Amino acid sequence: MNDILVPGGRDVRGTLETPDADDPDAIVVACPPHPQRGGSRSDRRLVAVGDAIREAGVACLRFDYGTWDEGYGEREDVRNAVRWAADRYDSVGLFGYSFGATLSLLAAATVDREIDAVSALAPTARLADDLDARAALEALECPVQICYGERDSTVDWEPVVERARARGDAVTALPADHFFVGQNGTIADAVGDFFERTLLESA
């Protein structure tokens, strides 16, 4: 486990975890939920996914956003983390939960690096008029997975799920609300399998 200062002009710090036995070629950048609601790199859903992908041989960079900036600076934090990862690994995936899920889609659609796969857990359709996850999804050509809670009434996930299904993306419904209590293992299995397939088996 290594502490990382993500370059880019904002104070963005992360935790890099790598598989024990391997020198991995692939990494997933994991984006936390809303920082003003307690979201951080230690979020249990991010940790569970990180553990699962490391067992499969994929590194994971979990990070905290810089100073709150209405989603705009945070999107740049994700892009800067992707740039850091892409300079060091052959394949880069993006994962996010809630606010971080929306940012993972927004960043993947606009970053100046190749993204190999994106998994978004409980994304909301938009953070602002020009931070529209459904529109960002349209721009993505890499494999995409959208996971959502069937009882989630916290965020407006339906437009993203509807569009993902129409595109033929991988869509996984979980019997949960927005917080996925008791679902860490199920989330880790679904997301881990997706990244193992898209980052390792397709390499």
Side-chain angles (χ1 to χ4, degrees):
M1 184 183 298
N2 296 305
D3 290 331
I4 302 295
L5 179 61
V6 177
R10 286 166 51 87
D11 187 10
V12 178
R13 298 171 187 269
T15 299
L16 175 66
E17 295 179 312
T18 56
D20 294 333
D22 300 317
D23 185 15
D25 295 322
I27 187 170
V28 170
V29 174
C31 311
H34 206 298
Q36 292 191 315
R37 300 189 180 110
S40 75
R41 61 182 137 162
S42 61
D43 179 82
R44 59 184 171 79
R45 287 138 295 220
L46 268 62
V47 171
V49 167
D51 289 345
I53 62 174
R54 280 191 298 112
E55 288 181 9
V58 177
C60 184
L61 174 64
R62 295 180 281 112
F63 70 94
D64 292 326
Y65 306 112
T67 304
W68 173 245
D69 189 36
E70 307 291 338
Y72 296 95
E74 292 78 11
R75 177 180 58 180
E76 190 60 20
D77 295 340
V78 180
R79 291 191 291 215
N80 284 331
V82 166
R83 292 176 182 119
W84 181 92
D87 288 345
R88 292 162 176 81
Y89 294 84
D90 294 336
S91 300
V92 178
L94 259 176
F95 169 72
Y97 162 57
S98 191
F99 177 78
T102 306
L103 288 180
S104 70
L105 295 169
L106 293 168
T110 56
V111 71
D112 55 351
R113 296 289 193 279
E114 182 176 351
I115 298 291
D116 295 280
V118 181
S119 175
L121 174 65
T124 194
R126 66 175 60 195
L127 303 177
D129 286 347
D130 56 348
L131 294 175
D132 187 325
R134 187 180 183 279
L137 184 60
E138 294 288 356
L140 296 181
E141 297 180 358
C142 65
V144 175
Q145 177 189 55
I146 306 292
C147 302
Y148 70 98
E150 294 171 319
R151 301 192 303 274
D152 187 349
S153 59
T154 302
V155 299
D156 181 25
W157 50 266
E158 289 94 339
V160 179
V161 168
E162 178 184 286
R163 189 60 207 144
R165 284 195 170 123
R167 281 167 38 98
D169 295 323
V171 176
T172 300
L174 299 171
D177 63 15
H178 188 66
F179 303 100
F180 301 94
V181 175
Q183 298 284 331
N184 288 356
T186 304
I187 292 166
D189 288 345
V191 177
D193 288 348
F194 171 75
F195 282 125
E196 187 172 359
R197 184 172 69 253
T198 55
L199 300 183
L200 298 180
E201 293 176 9
S202 62

